[in-house]
C-alpha cells in the first residue's frame, strides 16, 4: 500500500515515518516497491522579509486550530504590516 504523509502537520515526524514505511513495506500484486508522497507547505517571496511576513498567515491559522477556533485565514496582519511600512 502506498503512503501519503502530511508533513506540514508534523515536520519532525516526516523522515522517521518514511523510514518506518520503507523498512516495513511488503511487496504485493499491486505494488512491488514502496511508494510515498509528502504534503507540505511552500512559501515563496521576493525577499526573506516578505516570506516571513507571508508565513504569519498559516502560523496564525495553526494557532487557531490548536486553540479550537475554526476561523477563516487572516490576511489582516500582512495588510497592516505592509501599510505600516509605507508610513515610515
Amino acid at each position: 500500500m502506498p503512503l501519503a504523509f502530511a508533513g506540514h502537520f508534523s515536520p519532525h515526524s516526516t523522515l522517521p515515518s518514511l523510514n518506518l514505511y520503507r523498512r516495513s513495506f511488503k511487496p504485493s500484486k499491486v505494488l512491488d516497491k514502496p511508494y510515498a508522497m509528502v504534503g507540505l507547505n511552500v512559501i515563496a517571496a521576493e525577499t526573506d522579509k516578505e516570506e516571513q511576513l507571508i508565513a504569519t498567515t498559516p502560523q496564525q491559522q495553526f494557532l487557531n486550530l490548536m486553540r479550537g477556533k475554526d476561523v477563516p485565514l487572516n490576511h489582516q496582519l500582512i495588510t497592516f504590516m505592509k501599510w505600516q511600512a509605507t508610513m515610515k
Side-chain angles (χ1 to χ4, degrees), residues 38-79:
V38 176
L40 50 94
N41 294 328
V42 175
I43 299 172
E46 296 274 332
T47 66
D48 288 348
K49 186 174 182 179
E50 186 178 0
E51 175 274 325
Q52 291 167 359
L53 178 60
I54 293 168
T56 63
T57 298
Q59 289 167 351
Q60 289 175 68
Q61 186 66 16
F62 183 76
L63 285 173
N64 284 329
L65 289 171
M66 293 296 102
R67 294 174 178 156
K69 296 180 181 180
D70 186 17
V71 296
L73 284 176
N74 181 2
H75 300 286
Q76 292 174 349
L77 179 62
I78 293 172
T79 303

Side-chain angles (χ1 to χ4, degrees), residues 25-41:
F25 181 82
K26 303 229 184 308
S28 69
K29 293 178 187 176
V30 178
L31 209 56
D32 62 342
K33 59 184 178 181
Y35 180 83
M37 64 179 148
V38 176
L40 50 94
N41 294 328

